[in-house]
């Protein structure tokens, strides 16, 4: 066994009181936290978190796209450097928000509560997935000062849709995040090969993996059953239950057509901010802006839906150019470093969103793991801006393109159209 494997194993087995300190001493990047998550979780559970659609080409490209851009630092004072930002009219301690992810209690019994508490402590917004395992009301009660948004896919059941919206408003959710990339469920072949189901079912592979990961198994068995309590418009008062049909209906919009008119109707009925998530088309961003949507989240669902869908960073400059400041732009997908965040903002994004990185954290060490991941991002964003010679997020976005070179420029090829500023 290699030394780094021994070090990781020691962290996995560490007592709870020393987890934060051991994370600081042993995990110097999101990738280090990812390795611990991989050791803690049964293969089928980890692959559910990690995997993408079909051949996973989009999944790979999401990260590769960031390597196509290089920094061009400038000399100058970096006194009073400030990474604080804003999103949709409210504060964010850095230009980051925690994107909605479903089934979080599969990875750790604290689930969404751990993530919400970490986001609240860090001063960052949090998007709660409709497919969360924790009721939206419980998240509000646990983290009352958290800026929180509720996420779901459109459904043709107007009664259910209105009930969900009313319930989110009653629970104090500031805004809505509407998926527009879930008209069908992506073909995630890792899950099929692993025999993965949610909630997990008992079968041969499940039993073997459970035996190989006793700590996860004991925690899983000792806690409430996995369920999806936000799938109806009613607050659950009894045991949390869900059915595959309920899950499938909410995830895939009831498999019936919805279009921009449904989003426009929702815009008329919801007074708070709305984010349209899953947009990679500049024309769609313009439509969203035209009907009063507050932000578009440039996303391909982490490569989990349509394979070979454009990587968000690859289409970001075109969307920024065409949107021309009419709508806020958030980008996700493949972000693993503070340098990735800085590159996206230099290309015109208003903020970035992360999903898998904080899931690695929650799987590795619950709330402490998420806090550590967020601290890594803050340190990396700060260090990158200092080395670039910029002192604020506004300056970063204003100077933008002057701080970057695309690999096609370096190779002497025709550079892609890019934006310098929005």
């Amino acid at each position: 066994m290699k030394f780094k494997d021994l070090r990781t194993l020691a962290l996995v087995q560490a007592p709870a009181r020393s987890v934060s300190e051991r994370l600081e001493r042993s995990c110097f990047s999101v990738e280090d936290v990812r390795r611990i998550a991989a050791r803690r979780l049964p293969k089928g559970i980890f692959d559910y978190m990690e995997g993408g659609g079909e051949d996973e080409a989009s999944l790979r490209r999401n990260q590769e796209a960031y390597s196509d851009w290089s920094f061009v630092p400038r000399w100058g004072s970096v006194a009073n450097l400030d990474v604080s930002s804003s999103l949709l009219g409210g504060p964010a301690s850095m230009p980051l928000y925690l994107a909605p992810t479903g089934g979080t209690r599969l990875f750790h019994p604290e689930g969404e509560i751990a993530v919400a508490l970490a986001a609240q402590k860090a001063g960052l917004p949090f998007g709660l997935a409709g497919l969360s395992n924790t009721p939206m009301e419980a998240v509000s009660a646990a983290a009352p000062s958290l800026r929180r948004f509720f996420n779901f896919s459109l459904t043709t059941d107007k009664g259910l849709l209105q009930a969900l919206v009313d319930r989110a408003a009653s629970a104090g959710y500031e805004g809505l995040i509407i998926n527009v990339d879930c008209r069908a469920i992506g073909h995630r072949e890792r899950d099929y090969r692993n025999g993965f189901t949610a909630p997990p079912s008992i079968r041969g592979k499940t039993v073997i993996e459970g035996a190989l990961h006793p700590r996860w198994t004991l925690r899983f068995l000792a806690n409430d059953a996995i369920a999806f309590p936000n799938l109806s418009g009613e607050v659950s008062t009894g045991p949390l239950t869900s059915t595959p049909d309920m899950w499938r209906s909410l995830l895939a919009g009831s498999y019936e057509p919805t279009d921009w008119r449904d989003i426009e109707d929702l815009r008329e009925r919801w007074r708070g901010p709305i984010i349209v998530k899953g947009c990679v088309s500049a024309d769609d961003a313009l439509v969203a802006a035209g009907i009063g949507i507050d932000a578009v989240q440039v996303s391909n669902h982490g490569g989990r839906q349509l394979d070979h869908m454009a990587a968000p960073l690859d289409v970001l400059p075109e969307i920024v150019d065409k949107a021309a400041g009419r709508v806020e732009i958030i980008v996700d997908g493949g972000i693993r470093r503070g340098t990735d965040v800085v590159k996206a903002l230099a290309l015109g994004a208003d903020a970035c969103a992360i999903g898998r990185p904080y899931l690695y954290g929650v799987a590795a060490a619950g709330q402490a793991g998420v806090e550590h991941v967020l601290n890594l991002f803050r340190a990396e964003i700060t260090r990158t801006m200092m080395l670039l010679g910029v002192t604020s997020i506004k300056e970063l976005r204003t100077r933008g393109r002057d701080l970057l070179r695309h690999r096609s420029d370096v190779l002497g090829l025709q550079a892609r159209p890019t934006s310098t500023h929005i």
Side-chain angles (χ1 to χ4, degrees), residues 71-78 385-390 399 402-403:
F71 290 121
V72 184
R74 297 292 302 275
W75 176 249
S77 171
V78 288
M385 288 174 58
M386 183 175 292
L387 291 170
L388 274 176
V390 295
R399 293 173 60 182
D402 292 338
L403 301 170

Side-chain angles (χ1 to χ4, degrees), residues 370-416:
V370 181
E371 290 176 3
H372 185 68
V373 166
L374 298 180
N375 288 338
L376 286 172
F377 271 102
R378 186 182 306 280
E380 290 175 359
I381 291 169
T382 302
R383 182 169 57 249
T384 303
M385 288 174 58
M386 183 175 292
L387 291 170
L388 274 176
V390 295
T391 60
S392 69
I393 300 303
K394 181 179 179 181
E395 182 185 359
L396 172 62
R397 298 183 69 252
T398 299
R399 293 173 60 182
R401 182 63 175 87
D402 292 338
L403 301 170
L404 294 177
R405 290 291 182 274
H406 190 265
R407 66 188 303 270
S408 58
D409 298 332
V410 177
L411 294 173
L413 304 174
Q414 182 178 0
R416 68 181 64 195

Side-chain angles (χ1 to χ4, degrees), residues 135-343:
M136 64 177 82
E137 295 82 7
V139 173
S140 297
S145 63
L146 173 69
R147 290 189 66 201
R148 51 196 183 274
F149 296 77
F150 183 64
N151 162 245
F152 56 90
S153 296
L154 290 174
T155 173
T156 53
D157 185 336
K158 301 302 181 184
L160 172 59
L161 185 61
Q162 186 61 53
L164 278 173
V165 169
D166 292 343
R167 185 177 165 190
S170 297
Y173 284 75
E174 174 183 335
L176 303 177
I177 305 169
I178 309 302
N179 295 332
V180 294
D181 56 1
C182 290
R183 288 172 286 196
I185 300 173
H187 193 69
R188 300 167 197 168
E189 294 171 10
R190 289 202 209 190
D191 293 346
Y192 293 111
R193 295 185 186 107
N194 291 325
F196 174 83
T197 61
S201 58
I202 302 300
R203 57 182 67 191
K205 285 187 177 181
T206 311
V207 172
I208 294 171
E209 283 294 317
L212 292 173
H213 299 82
R215 186 172 183 177
W216 178 90
T217 302
L218 290 174
R219 282 181 169 180
F220 180 79
L221 294 175
N223 285 274
D224 292 337
I226 297 296
F228 304 96
N230 298 317
L231 292 187
S232 73
E234 298 180 0
V235 179
S236 177
T237 57
L240 301 182
T241 60
S242 64
T243 68
D245 287 342
M246 290 171 63
W247 182 22
R248 189 176 298 114
S249 175
L250 189 66
L251 179 64
S254 299
Y255 289 114
E256 296 180 25
T258 55
D259 57 27
W260 284 109
R261 289 171 296 182
D262 296 285
I263 297 179
E264 190 171 9
D265 179 61
L266 185 62
R267 171 72 286 175
E268 292 175 357
R269 291 183 285 121
W270 177 264
R271 295 184 179 180
I274 296 178
I275 302 171
V276 167
K277 177 178 177 289
C279 174
V280 294
S281 163
D283 291 336
D284 278 353
L286 287 176
V287 174
I291 64 175
I293 296 302
D294 302 275
V296 293
Q297 188 160 331
V298 185
S299 172
N300 61 18
H301 215 94
R304 293 168 68 80
Q305 290 292 90
L306 175 65
D307 199 19
H308 299 281
M309 188 172 172
L313 197 75
D314 286 337
V315 296
L316 176 63
E318 179 186 359
I319 292 175
V320 168
D321 282 342
K322 287 195 175 182
R326 297 174 59 193
V327 63
E328 290 191 35
I329 297 174
I330 304 163
V331 65
D332 72 27
I335 295 170
R336 299 293 183 271
R337 290 277 190 181
T339 50
D340 299 334
V341 174
V342 171
K343 288 176 182 180

